[in-house]
Amino acid sequence: MSSELHIYNTHKREKEKFEPLNAPHVGLYVCGPTVYSEPHIGNVRTFSSFDVIYRYLVHLGYKVRYVRNITDAGHLTNAAGEGVNRMESAAKLESLEPMEVVQKYTTNFHDIMNLFNAKPPSIEPTATGHIIEQIEMIEKLIENGFAYEVEGSVYFDVTSYNKKYPYGELSGRKIEDLVAGYRDLDGQDEKRNTIDFALWKKASPEHIMQWRSPWGMGFPGWHLECSVMSTKYLGQSFDIHGGGMDLKFPHHECEIAQNKGTYNEGGARYWMHTNMLNFNGQKMSKSLGNAILPMEFVTGTHELLDKGYHPSVIRLLFLQTHYSSELDINIKGLQDAEKAWKKLFESKGHLASLVGSAKTPTETSGKISALCKGCTDNMNDDFNSAKTLANLFELSGIINSLKGGQTTLDQVQVSDIELLTTTFNNFLLDIFGLQEPQQASSNDKLDDVMNVIISLRKQARDNKDWATSDKIRDELQAAGIQIKDGKDGEVSFSVD
Ligand code: AMP
Ligand code: ZN
């Protein structure tokens, strides 16, 4: 546990103290979606993880430029960067223009991110908006001897690069193993080596998305856009680059190679990889056919779900597991997360009524302040939201026992309640991005309204205005609300 932020850098394979290049500014790049179909709940996990990382960096006071791209040039389906253009397949299937597909699914992606209360990035650049910059990077790579042209396509020359820089440094893969592991793939005949990857592909005349280049009409390789857009907006060396674990190889490995081959610098100094969401033990993915759409979770329309769950319940479920661990989703987990969500907000709701009853400020209670500080320490320990939540649950237990009278308020100071209020507001709302359960907020309102009515009734009784006090009781009774007068003058109410 630490009072300074430490990040597990997947490039170095160790946790490191986070030292931004130009504090208080931080550059954060996250690989965005390929907008050829709706994101599934696994994609939402990855983007929610980075949303919390972004929110926490902002909470710490950093001025974060958060860049998350939109892959709209249609990236290629296989690891070598060859095969069919996914954007075009979807366009043909739906009889839409490629840019119509892009627009449709970009809007859909934004809607889903909004639904899940994720903050928008500072810049959301598109691959098709950066074709010129991609061509320029390819030209530099050819000039530096790390790329070659064949028949209108350009490939990255992994062998020549590996003589100067270690290819495989991020994923830990060895070039010999990679060569041996490759099967015969489309376009292999024109490449110098099986592991070379496409920077630019020649387009056949019927190919819809194509651009003019020094090598003829064609389209860029997928890995290139992230090298170009991250360095354009954040600099040749910047702070954090993130993405799902499945992008580490080849996508991020190729990005580092492209960056070093062009600028002699690898781009990001801290690499962060979030782990996969599994369903029934299998990675959720469109190609495996086990993808559940976010809206199916919210409406409960998927056959594997018992009912719909609020997006905050799903966010909370994600947060209960560290971002770098796999998460297997199931109904029991969702039900527990729903209870936990309600409990946390119920406790948060009690704080307003406790603050008036606590003692005047002196020292804060050791336990409460230690648990509150622990929330920050846990987040500083590589954004450990799971441990932070454990602290919040413990604090929630303390709040509930204060509210219920099991713990007396003389043991707690006003400053304790204020610290609890700040901690719950910061972590639940600002950092974890959770929304209040509807039920709880309307209950809170009912509490407030009832407190006003009860005090009016007390006033009437103190004035021996029995007619008014009885009228209030009878009319509330007719509305299904029972008022009970306790022995000690305490008045409580219950709803039928
Ligand atoms: P894509 O649109 O397929 O490029 O994916 C967008 C992001 O979602 C990438 O960072 C992927 O690594 C991530 N991703 C894909 N499948 C999953 C999954 N099952 N669980 C978590 N993240 C995923
Ligand atoms: Zn990327």
Side-chain angles (χ1 to χ4, degrees):
M1 297 230 276
S2 166
S3 55
E4 284 169 324
L5 178 61
H6 284 68
I7 295 181
Y8 184 82
N9 187 347
T10 47
H11 193 182
K12 304 275 181 63
R13 294 172 188 80
E14 63 185 12
K15 228 180 259 180
E16 291 181 323
K17 186 173 160 208
F18 179 56
E19 289 175 302
L21 263 181
N22 302 301
H25 298 278
V26 168
L28 167 67
Y29 185 90
V30 174
C31 290
T34 308
V35 283
Y36 72 103
S37 67
E38 283 190 49
H40 56 66
I41 202 76
N43 304 129
V44 174
R45 181 190 181 200
T46 287
F47 295 122
S48 303
S49 298
F50 285 107
D51 180 54
V52 171
I53 288 165
Y54 168 57
R55 283 166 176 269
Y56 190 62
L57 290 168
V58 171
H59 169 79
L60 290 180
Y62 290 119
K63 297 189 183 332
V64 187
R65 181 177 295 161
Y66 172 22
V67 184
R68 190 184 63 205
N69 67 306
I70 293 280
T71 297
D72 62 347
H75 78 70
L76 309 157
T77 43
N78 66 38
E82 291 163 77
V84 292
N85 180 323
R86 292 212 265 172
M87 208 70 66
E88 283 190 21
S89 311
K92 284 191 183 121
L93 208 65
E94 301 187 23
S95 307
L96 296 169
E97 269 296 313
M99 274 299 158
E100 209 175 348
V101 175
V102 165
Q103 189 62 57
K104 178 177 167 186
Y105 291 114
T106 303
T107 306
N108 171 262
F109 176 67
H110 290 160
D111 288 347
I112 301 292
M113 287 297 103
N114 248 331
L115 183 71
F116 280 80
N117 207 23
K119 298 243 186 229
S122 334
I123 305 179
E124 197 172 44
T126 61
T128 55
H130 296 76
I131 299 291
I132 292 172
E133 291 88 336
Q134 293 183 72
I135 291 173
E136 282 169 1
M137 194 170 208
I138 299 172
E139 285 175 324
K140 278 187 211 139
L141 284 167
I142 295 177
E143 207 179 291
N144 293 349
F146 299 126
Y148 57 92
E149 190 231 326
V150 203
E151 304 275 328
S153 292
V154 183
Y155 296 98
F156 189 91
D157 189 341
V158 175
T159 318
S160 115
Y161 173 82
N162 197 49
K163 287 184 187 135
K164 187 161 181 198
Y165 306 100
Y167 184 77
E169 60 182 279
L170 178 71
S171 58
R173 298 187 192 207
K174 296 246 172 321
I175 206 166
E176 313 77 69
D177 302 341
L178 287 170
V179 174
Y182 264 78
R183 280 167 293 130
D184 194 29
L185 298 165
D186 168 49
Q188 286 302 67
D189 41 344
E190 60 181 30
K191 292 197 284 190
R192 286 185 194 161
N193 207 311
T194 44
I195 51 170
D196 293 350
F197 56 90
L199 296 169
W200 189 264
K201 281 295 279 183
K202 178 187 176 142
S204 52
E206 65 277 9
H207 207 103
I208 318 169
M209 288 183 120
Q210 50 176 290
W211 292 265
R212 197 177 307 284
S213 80
W215 316 284
M217 296 302 288
F219 53 94
W222 165 44
H223 313 310
L224 194 61
E225 67 178 90
C226 288
S227 280
V228 162
M229 296 190 274
S230 58
T231 53
K232 171 161 179 162
Y233 297 108
L234 301 174
Q236 289 171 16
S237 185
F238 61 94
D239 298 309
I240 307 172
H241 191 314
M245 206 80 103
D246 56 342
L247 298 187
K248 203 173 187 183
F249 188 88
H251 186 52
H252 293 156
E253 194 71 67
C254 295
E255 258 190 70
I256 293 179
Q258 290 164 161
N259 285 11
K260 286 197 169 172
T262 310
Y263 303 119
N264 205 16
E265 299 210 56
R269 298 159 59 244
Y270 299 84
W271 283 85
M272 293 184 73
H273 289 98
T274 52
N275 215 325
M276 296 294 108
L277 182 87
N278 298 333
F279 198 78
N280 293 332
Q282 199 178 36
K283 178 193 163 188
M284 187 176 284
S285 102
K286 282 162 202 157
S287 50
L288 291 172
N290 66 349
I292 302 186
L293 300 180
M295 277 316 285
E296 291 174 329
F297 260 96
V298 176
T299 56
T301 45
H302 197 279
E303 55 183 7
L304 296 168
L305 295 170
D306 59 336
K307 66 182 195 81
Y309 290 91
H310 191 283
S312 283
V313 171
I314 301 162
R315 255 186 103 105
L316 185 67
L317 181 71
F318 293 160
L319 289 162
Q320 283 173 321
T321 300
H322 190 256
Y323 74 81
S324 66
S325 302
E326 283 186 28
L327 167 60
D328 204 46
I329 214 162
N330 54 49
I331 296 199
K332 169 91 173 52
L334 281 161
Q335 288 170 343
D336 290 347
E338 186 171 58
K339 281 189 210 128
W341 173 58
K342 288 185 177 158
K343 185 177 174 206
L344 286 171
F345 277 95
E346 205 174 82
S347 311
K348 182 177 166 295
H350 292 332
L351 287 168
S353 65
L354 287 176
V355 76
S357 333
K359 300 280 169 212
T360 42
T362 53
E363 285 291 287
T364 55
S365 129
K367 185 154 191 203
I368 292 177
S369 62
L371 283 167
C372 289
K373 184 177 176 300
C375 290
T376 306
D377 289 344
N378 290 327
M379 283 303 279
N380 279 342
D381 184 15
D382 195 27
F383 308 95
N384 200 326
S385 58
K387 282 195 176 163
T388 299
L389 274 173
N391 278 33
L392 290 172
F393 284 127
E394 208 173 330
L395 287 167
S396 155
I398 295 178
I399 296 170
N400 292 354
S401 78
L402 283 170
K403 175 77 181 170
Q406 295 96 315
T407 306
T408 62
L409 276 161
D410 351 317
Q411 296 160 20
V412 180
Q413 313 299 332
V414 171
S415 48
D416 282 323
I417 308 290
E418 283 168 355
L419 183 63
L420 282 167
T421 307
T422 313
T423 303
F424 271 65
N425 281 338
N426 283 348
F427 284 91
L428 293 189
L429 306 178
D430 298 348
I431 299 166
F432 291 161
L434 300 173
Q435 291 156 314
E436 303 249 354
Q438 212 52 51
Q439 194 58 36
S441 61
S442 57
N443 273 347
D444 286 348
K445 289 220 170 57
L446 181 64
D447 277 354
D448 293 343
V449 170
M450 284 306 295
N451 284 339
V452 174
I453 297 177
I454 288 169
S455 81
L456 286 174
R457 181 168 167 270
K458 183 172 181 297
Q459 219 170 39
R461 284 166 74 100
D462 289 348
N463 295 337
K464 303 201 184 330
D465 178 0
W466 309 117
T468 305
S469 98
D470 287 352
K471 190 168 188 277
I472 290 174
R473 189 199 53 211
D474 295 343
E475 289 200 2
L476 282 173
Q477 207 161 35
I481 300 170
Q482 311 295 333
I483 287 200
K484 287 184 212 93
D485 294 298
K487 284 194 207 94
D488 51 357
E490 270 292 318
V491 183
S492 60
F493 73 92
S494 62
V495 183
D496 290 345

mmCIF file of all heavy atoms in Angstrom, residues 136-155:
data_model
loop_
_atom_site.group_PDB
_atom_site.id
_atom_site.type_symbol
_atom_site.label_atom_id
_atom_site.label_comp_id
_atom_site.label_asym_id
_atom_site.label_seq_id
_atom_site.Cartn_x
_atom_site.Cartn_y
_atom_site.Cartn_z
ATOM 1 N N GLU A 136 2.849 9.123 -44.113
ATOM 2 C CA GLU A 136 4.139 9.754 -43.733
ATOM 3 C C GLU A 136 4.969 8.826 -42.846
ATOM 4 O O GLU A 136 6.173 8.734 -42.994
ATOM 5 C CB GLU A 136 3.877 11.070 -42.984
ATOM 6 C CG GLU A 136 3.504 12.199 -43.930
ATOM 7 C CD GLU A 136 2.970 13.446 -43.200
ATOM 8 O OE1 GLU A 136 2.896 13.447 -41.946
ATOM 9 O OE2 GLU A 136 2.624 14.399 -43.912
ATOM 10 N N MET A 137 4.301 8.122 -41.937
ATOM 11 C CA MET A 137 5.048 7.220 -41.046
ATOM 12 C C MET A 137 5.641 6.059 -41.863
ATOM 13 O O MET A 137 6.783 5.645 -41.622
ATOM 14 C CB MET A 137 4.163 6.689 -39.921
ATOM 15 C CG MET A 137 4.955 6.039 -38.803
ATOM 16 S SD MET A 137 3.897 5.700 -37.372
ATOM 17 C CE MET A 137 5.041 5.772 -36.022
ATOM 18 N N ILE A 138 4.865 5.559 -42.817
ATOM 19 C CA ILE A 138 5.380 4.458 -43.654
ATOM 20 C C ILE A 138 6.613 4.949 -44.434
ATOM 21 O O ILE A 138 7.627 4.237 -44.533
ATOM 22 C CB ILE A 138 4.289 3.962 -44.639
ATOM 23 C CG1 ILE A 138 3.075 3.419 -43.862
ATOM 24 C CG2 ILE A 138 4.859 2.907 -45.588
ATOM 25 C CD1 ILE A 138 1.867 3.075 -44.729
ATOM 26 N N GLU A 139 6.538 6.171 -44.941
ATOM 27 C CA GLU A 139 7.678 6.710 -45.703
ATOM 28 C C GLU A 139 8.932 6.770 -44.841
ATOM 29 O O GLU A 139 10.023 6.430 -45.285
ATOM 30 C CB GLU A 139 7.328 8.105 -46.249
ATOM 31 C CG GLU A 139 6.376 8.006 -47.442
ATOM 32 C CD GLU A 139 5.894 9.355 -47.973
ATOM 33 O OE1 GLU A 139 5.689 10.276 -47.151
ATOM 34 O OE2 GLU A 139 5.706 9.475 -49.190
ATOM 35 N N LYS A 140 8.743 7.181 -43.575
ATOM 36 C CA LYS A 140 9.911 7.255 -42.669
ATOM 37 C C LYS A 140 10.461 5.858 -42.389
ATOM 38 O O LYS A 140 11.668 5.658 -42.313
ATOM 39 C CB LYS A 140 9.526 7.939 -41.361
ATOM 40 C CG LYS A 140 9.540 9.451 -41.490
ATOM 41 C CD LYS A 140 9.329 10.114 -40.129
ATOM 42 C CE LYS A 140 8.599 11.432 -40.298
ATOM 43 N NZ LYS A 140 7.579 11.713 -39.298
ATOM 44 N N LEU A 141 9.550 4.899 -42.233
ATOM 45 C CA LEU A 141 10.004 3.523 -41.948
ATOM 46 C C LEU A 141 10.782 2.952 -43.142
ATOM 47 O O LEU A 141 11.790 2.271 -42.948
ATOM 48 C CB LEU A 141 8.799 2.630 -41.600
ATOM 49 C CG LEU A 141 8.218 2.831 -40.190
ATOM 50 C CD1 LEU A 141 6.859 2.149 -40.037
ATOM 51 C CD2 LEU A 141 9.190 2.301 -39.118
ATOM 52 N N ILE A 142 10.336 3.268 -44.362
ATOM 53 C CA ILE A 142 11.062 2.793 -45.560
ATOM 54 C C ILE A 142 12.446 3.457 -45.580
ATOM 55 O O ILE A 142 13.475 2.791 -45.761
ATOM 56 C CB ILE A 142 10.273 3.124 -46.852
ATOM 57 C CG1 ILE A 142 8.947 2.345 -46.887
ATOM 58 C CG2 ILE A 142 11.121 2.835 -48.101
ATOM 59 C CD1 ILE A 142 8.039 2.651 -48.086
ATOM 60 N N GLU A 143 12.449 4.783 -45.322
ATOM 61 C CA GLU A 143 13.692 5.562 -45.319
ATOM 62 C C GLU A 143 14.675 5.005 -44.288
ATOM 63 O O GLU A 143 15.871 4.914 -44.536
ATOM 64 C CB GLU A 143 13.301 6.988 -44.927
ATOM 65 C CG GLU A 143 14.183 8.098 -45.438
ATOM 66 C CD GLU A 143 13.575 9.417 -44.945
ATOM 67 O OE1 GLU A 143 12.478 9.776 -45.439
ATOM 68 O OE2 GLU A 143 14.168 10.054 -44.048
ATOM 69 N N ASN A 144 14.163 4.602 -43.139
ATOM 70 C CA ASN A 144 15.030 4.087 -42.068
ATOM 71 C C ASN A 144 15.406 2.613 -42.273
ATOM 72 O O ASN A 144 16.103 2.039 -41.442
ATOM 73 C CB ASN A 144 14.351 4.254 -40.709
ATOM 74 C CG ASN A 144 14.197 5.718 -40.324
ATOM 75 O OD1 ASN A 144 14.773 6.584 -40.972
ATOM 76 N ND2 ASN A 144 13.418 5.992 -39.296
ATOM 77 N N GLY A 145 14.931 2.016 -43.342
ATOM 78 C CA GLY A 145 15.309 0.627 -43.651
ATOM 79 C C GLY A 145 14.497 -0.423 -42.916
ATOM 80 O O GLY A 145 14.908 -1.585 -42.831
ATOM 81 N N PHE A 146 13.323 -0.052 -42.384
ATOM 82 C CA PHE A 146 12.524 -1.024 -41.635
ATOM 83 C C PHE A 146 11.238 -1.431 -42.356
ATOM 84 O O PHE A 146 10.367 -2.075 -41.763
ATOM 85 C CB PHE A 146 12.182 -0.477 -40.244
ATOM 86 C CG PHE A 146 13.387 -0.192 -39.402
ATOM 87 C CD1 PHE A 146 13.574 1.061 -38.829
ATOM 88 C CD2 PHE A 146 14.355 -1.172 -39.188
ATOM 89 C CE1 PHE A 146 14.693 1.332 -38.053
ATOM 90 C CE2 PHE A 146 15.478 -0.906 -38.418
ATOM 91 C CZ PHE A 146 15.650 0.350 -37.857
ATOM 92 N N ALA A 147 11.103 -0.989 -43.616
ATOM 93 C CA ALA A 147 9.903 -1.364 -44.365
ATOM 94 C C ALA A 147 10.249 -1.447 -45.847
ATOM 95 O O ALA A 147 11.214 -0.823 -46.302
ATOM 96 C CB ALA A 147 8.800 -0.340 -44.127
ATOM 97 N N TYR A 148 9.491 -2.242 -46.567
ATOM 98 C CA TYR A 148 9.753 -2.405 -48.011
ATOM 99 C C TYR A 148 8.437 -2.524 -48.766
ATOM 100 O O TYR A 148 7.420 -2.956 -48.216
ATOM 101 C CB TYR A 148 10.626 -3.635 -48.256
ATOM 102 C CG TYR A 148 10.015 -4.919 -47.702
ATOM 103 C CD1 TYR A 148 9.204 -5.728 -48.495
ATOM 104 C CD2 TYR A 148 10.240 -5.312 -46.381
ATOM 105 C CE1 TYR A 148 8.626 -6.898 -47.990
ATOM 106 C CE2 TYR A 148 9.673 -6.467 -45.868
ATOM 107 C CZ TYR A 148 8.870 -7.253 -46.674
ATOM 108 O OH TYR A 148 8.296 -8.400 -46.177
ATOM 109 N N GLU A 149 8.496 -2.120 -50.025
ATOM 110 C CA GLU A 149 7.300 -2.154 -50.859
ATOM 111 C C GLU A 149 7.354 -3.344 -51.815
ATOM 112 O O GLU A 149 8.412 -3.672 -52.344
ATOM 113 C CB GLU A 149 7.225 -0.854 -51.672
ATOM 114 C CG GLU A 149 5.907 -0.687 -52.391
ATOM 115 C CD GLU A 149 6.050 -0.363 -53.867
ATOM 116 O OE1 GLU A 149 7.005 0.336 -54.253
ATOM 117 O OE2 GLU A 149 5.188 -0.831 -54.638
ATOM 118 N N VAL A 150 6.250 -4.028 -51.977
ATOM 119 C CA VAL A 150 6.131 -5.079 -52.986
ATOM 120 C C VAL A 150 4.782 -4.922 -53.663
ATOM 121 O O VAL A 150 3.754 -4.963 -52.954
ATOM 122 C CB VAL A 150 6.111 -6.512 -52.389
ATOM 123 C CG1 VAL A 150 6.536 -7.550 -53.405
ATOM 124 C CG2 VAL A 150 6.843 -6.635 -51.096
ATOM 125 N N GLU A 151 4.768 -4.739 -54.941
ATOM 126 C CA GLU A 151 3.513 -4.749 -55.716
ATOM 127 C C GLU A 151 2.425 -3.865 -55.108
ATOM 128 O O GLU A 151 1.286 -4.302 -54.958
ATOM 129 C CB GLU A 151 2.969 -6.189 -55.789
ATOM 130 C CG GLU A 151 3.926 -7.200 -56.359
ATOM 131 C CD GLU A 151 3.862 -7.241 -57.883
ATOM 132 O OE1 GLU A 151 2.789 -7.000 -58.448
ATOM 133 O OE2 GLU A 151 4.926 -7.478 -58.482
ATOM 134 N N GLY A 152 2.774 -2.673 -54.705
ATOM 135 C CA GLY A 152 1.753 -1.737 -54.193
ATOM 136 C C GLY A 152 1.390 -1.919 -52.735
ATOM 137 O O GLY A 152 0.543 -1.200 -52.206
ATOM 138 N N SER A 153 1.997 -2.914 -52.061
ATOM 139 C CA SER A 153 1.791 -3.071 -50.612
ATOM 140 C C SER A 153 3.109 -2.773 -49.909
ATOM 141 O O SER A 153 4.186 -2.946 -50.506
ATOM 142 C CB SER A 153 1.364 -4.498 -50.267
ATOM 143 O OG SER A 153 0.073 -4.759 -50.762
ATOM 144 N N VAL A 154 3.030 -2.336 -48.657
ATOM 145 C CA VAL A 154 4.256 -2.083 -47.891
ATOM 146 C C VAL A 154 4.214 -2.929 -46.620
ATOM 147 O O VAL A 154 3.184 -2.983 -45.933
ATOM 148 C CB VAL A 154 4.402 -0.586 -47.521
ATOM 149 C CG1 VAL A 154 5.733 -0.338 -46.797
ATOM 150 C CG2 VAL A 154 4.309 0.304 -48.750
ATOM 151 N N TYR A 155 5.333 -3.597 -46.322
ATOM 152 C CA TYR A 155 5.408 -4.448 -45.127
ATOM 153 C C TYR A 155 6.505 -3.967 -44.200
ATOM 154 O O TYR A 155 7.524 -3.417 -44.637
ATOM 155 C CB TYR A 155 5.690 -5.908 -45.533
ATOM 156 C CG TYR A 155 4.563 -6.497 -46.342
ATOM 157 C CD1 TYR A 155 4.634 -6.536 -47.736
ATOM 158 C CD2 TYR A 155 3.417 -6.977 -45.720
ATOM 159 C CE1 TYR A 155 3.586 -7.058 -48.486
ATOM 160 C CE2 TYR A 155 2.364 -7.497 -46.463
ATOM 161 C CZ TYR A 155 2.453 -7.536 -47.847
ATOM 162 O OH TYR A 155 1.413 -8.039 -48.569
#
